[in-house]
Amino acid sequence: MKKIFDFIKKIIRAILRFLGFIKDKPGPGKPKPPKERGFRELPDGTKLPAPYDGEEVKRLIQSVHAAKDKDERFVYDTVLVSALESIRPLMDLYDLIPRIWAGDSAAESEFNRILSENSNGVDIQAYEQRAQRSMEVMRGEIPRPGGGGPCGPLFFMKPDALFAIQQTATLLAGDNEKQQIHNLATIDKISNNSLCPNVFNYLAHQDRVSGGQRLQERISIHAKKSEYFSRVDELRGKRGEANNGYDGLTQPPADGEGPWRPPRSGMERPAHGCGPDDGPDDGPGGDPFPDAPGFPEDCKPIRDYCRDFVRGAGRGVNPLPDSVSTSDIDSISAAQACNGGTITIKGSGFGSSQGNKEVVFGTTAARVISWSDTEIVVRVPGRISGRVCIGIRDKEAEQRRKEVHEGNRRAFEEFSEGAELCLGQPDDIGTLPYRPDTPDCRDINVVDVGVPSIYFRVNGGQNVTVEAGNDLVLNWAVSNADSMNITRVGNDGPDVNITGDMVGSQNIGAFNASSEITATYKIEASNACGTVSQTVTAKAVRTPNLSILGIEVTQPIQRFNWNNPGQNNSVRLVSEKRTMVRVYVESGVNDGFDFGEGPNILPDVTGHLTLTYPDGNTVTVNDVLNPGDDMDAQPASNVDRETLDHSLNFELPVNNLDGNIQIEAEVYTEPRDGGGRWDTASTSVNFQQNGSMRLVAVLVNDTVNNNNAPTMADYATSLQGARTRLPVREQGFQIFRAPNHRTINTQGDEDLTNGDGWSNLLDRLDDIADDYEDNGEIWTGLVPNSGAYAWNGLATDGVVQFWFDNHPRMLSRSRQGATFAHELAHTVSIDHASSVNAGSNAGVSSCGNPDGVDNSLVSLTEDVGMDVAAYRLMPQSIPTLMTYCTPSINGTTSYQDRWMSIDLWNRFWNQI
């Protein structure tokens, strides 16, 4: 009850604020109001809200696009678009309202044309019967339904938008009662036919709340009944024909981009009805959702109440009386006049003095110079232009017109008070502004005022994009002009020089371009009052066919080849280990078109991943690792796996990275506008648990050579070489410290500048380990990083030879990650790999010859590797970790760049 009471107070405050009785005064610390988006502005500043709930529409579209199969997703989208076509006339009517209230006669004609086109089958008598009941609801004679509360988005078009359309239709009808009733009945018919959009929108809302799939089930019923279900290519072609070549999926409404429209379906038979029988609704007075699943019974009276309430609100608006007359005018002195000039109006019955009358040009009053019963001389107002009609306004009649408008405003207030049941928690609803009466236009009272008026378009718009190679078509209409000409500005685009014709259309030829260039055209018109001009632009673009070649999921190394996908992602993945996903994308451009980064390259491609875990939970990965958060998509023939930025790269969240995980990638350019600039693909990979390693960290202070002991920070850096290479989860390296041997000093026979010193120090690690309980630890000694030392590291081979030499242990110079990993591999009985010929392998700088070689070990990496932590690509055919070879990577040589092979990855995996 308190919620309803608070809402009523909110509505009352909004109405009082709208009428000017309450004015907000922002305090010194009050934040600025949020930016308004998706609103249409009327001439007096009134904002008309979007006629639909943009967020709910996005959810509706996303629910339909959740289908995994591409073709299925396209057919589902077409069914949705077909359903939305039934409400397109209402959306078109709503978008004309601002132009109508600005006095645009063409918009009035278009509004009436849409009503006329949709008037077939209108039952005026049935409408009047429903309207009577609606008025009773409006006046409160029929009680509101109890209980139930708002029942989700019951209407695709919001009731306040429908009410605004009804007000406009009534006011345009004027005092023609038959036309008024016919217009309202036509609007009623269109809104009643929007069955499928209402049901689909409701089911998307309920699926979001309950996690269900009822919308997809219902869409699936329609799709399977469609004659195009198994002919997707044909359907795609029809979609393209209906939408000027665009055959992509429906894009949701974007904030701040003006009126939204779904594409047209191209289907010969739209999707009527929403039940398994695909039949129509039950008709007037019946259940409009007979087959819709999941509609609570207590929602039906609320839904019916809302429909009746909106109808009644429309009937509560009265036509405004006329206050401007033209019947006494016989002629005017000029058909063309400049602002500030004079015009003489001749006729009879004007009265001997001006009295309570005034001359208006459209809605603007003119200053009277002289007035008699047969002649009036006025000065042309300075704030008008274009073709206007002159009339004589009765000020008292205009006041009566305003009083009727105030009555209409009160009817609107009644509508606002009852809107909560329809809208749930509505925004403050605006109303239409007062519109003064305007003169009827007759041949004898029309004057062209001021400089010429120009309408100028290229391919239907003022600033358009056009596919390179397509024709440019100019359309123009000039009024109140003595001369005009159209020329090209600059050198881009087909040349043109048109003069004389005030109205016309001309195809000026193909806009051939190999890059994104802009053609500009200018129209100039002149008369005695001056010269005006207007320009239009056409930007040449190429619509790519952006597509995903494949999705690689890699840790230190992976198999992947989009041309031979049999072994893709076949290298085992460790659970909860840092993992990178590489999404390979091709531009889909192959004709040499240059978007600014080179021929056939599509810049600014970005995207995101959606992970679905074994328990059904999902996570979205939005952080793109590429510099600038995007990539330049290459043509397929140029995509190089050994170039890191030839893929869109992501790192997966380590937590919960276990079991079979589905990865869906979505790539697109911004803005995400369809038209070949968007694609999705998915893959599934299995993350497997593996053993851990218990390491005892011992820091060595080299007193023999006066080199200070490394720190535990140095130890962490060294360990990172093993963490990034070895098949162990991130937290799988368990580090321990020996209480009495955290740091040890070298002794006289442990001179690390010779090999015996290394061996003696390694033996002492075994003696120290004897003092502690053995729980399977590997003893790891970290010595200073001195170039004077004989070796980089030393380790036991992991095999117990004698009872007195039974602890796996290793030594490594500090901050040498590859060496630390190399020696750690020895402790699990992995030997050296053989050397290779440096001269015949570009990825090898030099090689040494180790002892203890296992000739079955691979010496060069079999595929492309990835240092995920460093975001660094490791090329194929560089020396593996267990060699004594130095890699050469892009001209840089470092012994610490030895990398993991697939062979070594599998051997180490099996050993632990």
Side-chain angles (χ1 to χ4, degrees):
M1 190 66 184
K2 181 180 182 300
K3 181 179 177 182
I4 296 176
F5 181 70
D6 291 342
F7 177 76
I8 292 173
K9 288 196 298 183
K10 176 184 175 183
I11 286 291
I12 293 173
R13 284 196 301 270
I15 293 169
L16 293 175
R17 186 181 298 111
F18 181 80
L19 296 177
F21 295 115
I22 297 177
K23 296 185 183 296
D24 292 326
K25 296 182 179 179
K30 186 175 181 179
K32 294 181 179 179
K35 181 180 179 182
E36 294 175 302
R37 298 178 178 179
F39 280 59
R40 297 142 174 85
E41 185 167 332
L42 302 182
D44 70 340
T46 300
K47 304 288 186 178
L48 283 180
Y52 43 78
D53 184 331
E55 291 305 313
E56 288 293 347
V57 175
K58 288 179 184 178
R59 292 189 189 101
L60 169 63
I61 294 172
Q62 289 165 359
S63 296
V64 173
H65 292 178
K68 300 303 180 186
D69 180 76
K70 269 188 178 182
D71 287 346
E72 184 179 85
R73 185 162 57 238
F74 181 78
V75 175
Y76 284 8
D77 183 81
T78 302
V79 171
L80 172 63
V81 170
S82 177
L84 293 178
E85 284 177 338
S86 66
I87 54 141
R88 184 182 286 270
L90 286 173
M91 299 170 80
D92 291 342
L93 290 172
Y94 192 75
D95 285 334
L96 288 168
I97 291 175
R99 291 172 54 196
I100 290 171
W101 290 95
D104 187 336
S105 58
E108 291 186 16
S109 298
E110 179 66 7
F111 191 97
N112 287 323
R113 183 194 65 78
I114 294 173
L115 289 179
S116 177
E117 278 190 359
N118 289 274
S119 63
N120 291 335
V122 170
D123 189 335
I124 301 294
Q125 184 176 0
Y127 170 77
E128 281 288 80
Q129 292 173 354
R130 291 197 302 273
Q132 180 61 38
R133 182 178 185 276
S134 301
M135 289 298 291
E136 293 169 353
V137 172
M138 182 73 182
R139 291 192 294 265
E141 296 172 10
I142 297 178
R144 298 184 185 185
C151 295
L154 298 174
F155 302 92
F156 189 94
M157 288 284 289
K158 295 195 293 186
D160 51 330
L162 185 58
F163 180 55
I165 296 171
Q166 289 177 320
Q167 288 188 77
T168 305
T170 297
L171 297 175
L172 287 183
D175 59 1
N176 188 332
E177 182 71 11
K178 287 185 178 180
Q179 182 182 346
Q180 176 190 347
I181 294 174
H182 183 272
N183 287 351
L184 294 179
T186 303
I187 294 169
D188 191 62
K189 175 207 171 190
I190 299 172
S191 63
N192 275 338
N193 283 346
S194 62
L195 170 64
C196 272
N198 291 344
V199 172
F200 291 169
N201 203 43
Y202 176 81
L203 293 179
H205 175 83
Q206 289 300 309
D207 285 349
R208 178 177 63 86
V209 173
S210 65
Q213 294 290 323
R214 286 175 295 184
L215 173 63
Q216 280 213 15
E217 292 169 4
R218 181 46 41 91
I219 291 283
S220 178
I221 291 171
H222 280 285
K224 289 175 181 177
K225 291 177 75 69
S226 167
E227 62 267 35
Y228 298 114
F229 185 71
S230 59
R231 292 151 47 195
V232 178
D233 291 340
E234 182 181 350
L235 180 56
R236 201 179 298 276
K238 290 180 177 293
R239 285 278 295 268
E241 291 175 9
N243 296 284
N244 297 318
Y246 175 61
D247 62 358
L249 297 178
T250 304
Q251 298 300 309
D255 292 338
E257 292 190 5
W260 168 79
R261 289 289 185 279
R264 298 185 183 275
S265 70
M267 294 178 68
E268 297 173 4
R269 180 178 62 86
H272 291 302
C274 285
D277 58 357
D278 201 31
D281 65 39
D282 289 352
D287 183 357
F289 302 101
D291 301 307
F295 269 93
E297 286 302 317
D298 57 357
C299 281
K300 184 179 185 303
I302 294 175
R303 186 173 57 248
D304 293 342
Y305 172 84
C306 289
R307 290 183 183 277
D308 288 335
F309 199 89
V310 174
R311 291 191 190 104
R315 291 287 288 165
V317 178
N318 294 311
L320 302 182
D322 294 336
S323 63
V324 176
S325 171
T326 62
S327 58
D328 295 334
I329 299 175
D330 292 336
S331 65
I332 57 176
S333 59
Q336 188 181 78
C338 298
N339 301 102
T342 61
I343 281 187
T344 300
I345 304 167
K346 293 184 178 294
S348 60
F350 298 147
S352 58
S353 62
Q354 180 176 355
N356 201 36
K357 297 178 181 179
E358 60 186 352
V359 174
V360 291
F361 285 63
T363 60
T364 304
R367 185 166 69 87
V368 175
I369 298 174
S370 64
W371 189 294
S372 70
D373 189 59
T374 58
E375 182 179 284
I376 305 171
V377 180
V378 296
R379 193 164 300 282
V380 180
R383 300 184 305 277
I384 62 173
S385 63
R387 178 157 294 184
V388 295
C389 301
I390 298 175
I392 299 174
R393 175 189 289 157
D394 186 318
K395 294 180 181 180
E396 291 180 355
E398 181 66 16
Q399 182 58 37
R400 290 193 297 273
R401 181 181 175 91
K402 291 180 179 179
E403 291 169 358
V404 174
H405 174 75
E406 288 304 311
N408 290 342
R409 190 185 296 275
R410 286 192 294 273
F412 171 77
E413 291 175 8
E414 294 177 1
F415 171 75
S416 297
E417 290 173 3
E420 181 185 16
L421 276 173
C422 301
L423 303 179
Q425 290 292 331
D427 296 326
D428 292 340
I429 305 168
T431 188
L432 299 178
Y434 175 69
R435 185 190 189 203
D437 194 15
T438 55
D440 293 333
C441 292
R442 303 158 53 204
D443 291 341
I444 49 81
N445 70 329
V446 178
V447 59
D448 290 316
V449 176
V451 295
S453 296
I454 293 174
Y455 172 89
F456 191 34
R457 297 291 185 270
V458 57
N459 287 30
Q462 291 180 292
N463 300 286
V464 301
T465 58
V466 60
E467 195 76 11
N470 284 2
D471 289 352
L472 296 183
V473 178
L474 298 179
N475 291 277
W476 67 94
V478 178
S479 62
N480 191 22
D482 299 326
S483 63
M484 87 88 198
N485 70 291
I486 299 173
T487 56
R488 183 183 66 182
V489 179
N491 299 317
D492 294 327
D495 199 7
V496 66
N497 189 3
I498 301 171
T499 60
D501 294 334
M502 298 300 170
V503 178
S505 176
Q506 184 168 323
N507 185 323
I508 61 173
F511 188 5
N512 296 313
S514 59
S515 62
E516 290 188 330
I517 59 175
T518 299
T520 302
Y521 296 93
K522 178 181 179 181
I523 186 171
E524 195 170 70
S526 301
N527 66 10
C529 300
T531 299
V532 292
S533 64
Q534 189 179 122
T535 59
V536 294
T537 63
K539 181 180 180 180
V541 299
R542 169 67 70 236
T543 299
N545 185 24
L546 185 70
S547 62
I548 296 175
L549 293 171
I551 302 172
E552 177 184 352
V553 186
T554 183
Q555 288 172 346
I557 194 166
Q558 188 56 271
R559 288 286 192 192
F560 198 84
N561 184 340
W562 51 84
N563 293 319
N564 185 20
Q567 289 189 330
N568 283 359
N569 297 322
S570 59
V571 177
R572 287 179 292 182
L573 299 168
V574 179
S575 297
E576 298 182 339
K577 184 175 182 66
R578 293 186 72 167
T579 305
M580 183 183 292
V581 172
R582 301 185 67 188
V583 182
Y584 297 97
V585 184
E586 67 162 316
S587 65
V589 182
N590 53 26
D591 64 351
F593 194 85
D594 190 343
F595 292 89
E597 296 297 332
N600 300 326
I601 297 174
L602 180 64
D604 305 325
V605 176
T606 187
H608 64 265
L609 304 178
T610 301
L611 311 183
T612 303
Y613 294 105
D615 60 3
N617 289 330
T618 61
V619 167
T620 300
V621 181
N622 291 308
D623 293 336
V624 177
L625 301 179
N626 303 60
D629 299 331
D630 57 30
M631 66 171 290
D632 295 339
Q634 308 286 324
S637 59
N638 288 4
V639 178
D640 180 8
R641 190 164 162 244
E642 292 201 357
T643 301
L644 188 53
D645 286 339
H646 278 199
S647 58
L648 197 63
N649 304 318
F650 305 84
E651 183 174 353
L652 300 184
V654 170
N655 293 339
N656 301 318
L657 209 57
D658 187 40
N660 191 274
I661 295 177
Q662 180 172 332
I663 302 172
E664 181 176 57
E666 189 170 331
V667 297
Y668 42 85
T669 60
E670 296 286 7
R672 188 177 154 191
D673 56 359
R677 297 174 180 264
W678 172 79
D679 195 26
T680 62
S682 63
T683 189
S684 291
V685 290
N686 187 37
F687 290 87
Q688 304 175 44
Q689 294 284 347
N690 198 16
S692 59
M693 303 192 77
R694 298 169 60 88
L695 308 182
V696 181
V698 179
L699 305 179
V700 179
N701 183 33
D702 185 5
T703 57
V704 174
N705 294 292
N706 295 318
N707 291 321
N708 293 330
T711 65
M712 283 305 294
D714 296 324
Y715 187 91
T717 300
S718 305
L719 177 63
Q720 183 60 38
R723 195 189 304 276
T724 195
R725 289 170 171 83
L726 304 182
V728 180
R729 61 188 175 88
E730 292 301 306
Q731 303 304 319
F733 292 95
Q734 302 173 42
I735 310 302
F736 302 91
R737 304 298 303 277
N740 299 320
H741 299 88
R742 293 174 178 269
T743 302
I744 62 174
N745 296 321
T746 55
Q747 299 176 355
D749 62 348
E750 296 169 354
D751 183 357
L752 300 181
T753 61
N754 62 70
D756 289 341
W758 282 85
S759 297
N760 292 334
L761 180 58
L762 190 65
D763 287 342
R764 188 149 67 94
L765 269 186
D766 185 59
D767 296 338
I768 293 171
D770 286 337
D771 295 338
Y772 298 91
E773 182 179 350
D774 187 354
N775 291 300
E777 292 86 4
I778 299 172
W779 286 73
T780 59
L782 196 68
V783 305
N785 189 9
S786 171
Y789 291 165
W791 295 336
N792 288 324
L794 182 66
T796 61
D797 65 0
V799 179
V800 177
Q801 301 288 348
F802 305 100
W803 62 268
F804 55 83
D805 185 16
N806 60 354
H807 298 288
R809 57 202 182 277
M810 56 158 279
L811 296 172
S812 173
R813 280 168 56 181
S814 170
R815 291 184 171 267
Q816 295 201 352
T819 296
F820 193 99
H822 174 107
E823 303 303 342
L824 199 57
H826 280 322
T827 68
V828 296
S829 301
I830 296 176
D831 290 328
H832 291 118
S834 61
S835 296
V836 297
N837 187 340
S840 60
N841 294 279
V844 183
S845 172
S846 61
C847 275
N849 295 305
D851 296 327
V853 171
D854 180 351
N855 288 317
S856 67
L857 275 171
V858 171
S859 299
L860 297 176
T861 55
E862 310 95 326
D863 217 313
V864 176
M866 182 62 60
D867 186 342
V868 179
Y871 188 62
R872 184 186 181 199
L873 185 139
M874 309 304 287
Q876 183 176 348
S877 299
I878 62 172
T880 65
L881 182 66
M882 302 313 292
T883 66
Y884 272 15
C885 299
T886 300
S888 176
I889 301 176
N890 298 324
T892 300
T893 60
S894 172
Y895 193 56
Q896 298 306 314
D897 282 343
R898 290 171 296 164
W899 202 245
M900 203 69 175
S901 66
I902 298 173
D903 172 50
L904 182 57
W905 175 266
N906 289 329
R907 292 186 188 222
F908 201 102
W909 186 303
N910 296 334
Q911 290 294 88
I912 62 170

